[in-house]
Amino acid sequence: MSTGKPAGLQITERAFQSQVRQLAATLGWRVYCAWLSIRSPAGYVDLTLCRDRVIFAELKSESGKLTPAQELWFDALRRAGQEVYCWRPSDWEDIVKTLQRQIPE
């Protein structure tokens, strides 16, 4: 199983998302990503991942910032006790650790 770091930190959000989705699938996660989010509520996270728990993840470039609508979703999800992340290419090692971690039964 390859969990190698993305090639360079200056990759596009689209390429980064593809790498995170591949990693998640390799590690047994079910991955949801809206194909065309134009009619979805503003600010909803990029990925919803489900395996032994549910993770909500927004993916950003190194310089990307959360919008006010994204901040509202993050706050609502956290208040509801959910695991929410804003991941960047430089977070790759943490992403791998987070997705490899399993909740004991």
Side-chain angles (χ1 to χ4, degrees), residues 61-88:
S61 67
E62 289 302 318
S63 60
K65 301 205 182 311
L66 292 175
T67 66
Q70 289 169 330
E71 292 279 1
L72 289 172
W73 271 107
F74 265 54
D75 290 344
L77 289 165
R78 284 190 177 127
R79 279 194 315 272
Q82 300 305 302
E83 198 172 341
V84 186
Y85 299 95
C86 179
W87 285 331
R88 302 172 190 286

Side-chain angles (χ1 to χ4, degrees), residues 24-92:
T26 298
L27 294 172
W29 290 86
R30 293 194 46 97
V31 180
Y32 174 79
C33 175
W35 177 254
L36 183 61
S37 61
I38 197 162
R39 292 203 169 120
S40 297
Y44 191 76
V45 294
D46 291 325
L47 299 177
T48 302
L49 309 168
C50 184
R51 190 182 67 187
D52 54 337
R53 63 195 196 277
V54 177
I55 291 177
F56 298 91
E58 179 64 29
L59 306 178
K60 293 290 185 188
S61 67
E62 289 302 318
S63 60
K65 301 205 182 311
L66 292 175
T67 66
Q70 289 169 330
E71 292 279 1
L72 289 172
W73 271 107
F74 265 54
D75 290 344
L77 289 165
R78 284 190 177 127
R79 279 194 315 272
Q82 300 305 302
E83 198 172 341
V84 186
Y85 299 95
C86 179
W87 285 331
R88 302 172 190 286
S90 61
D91 297 322
W92 188 253

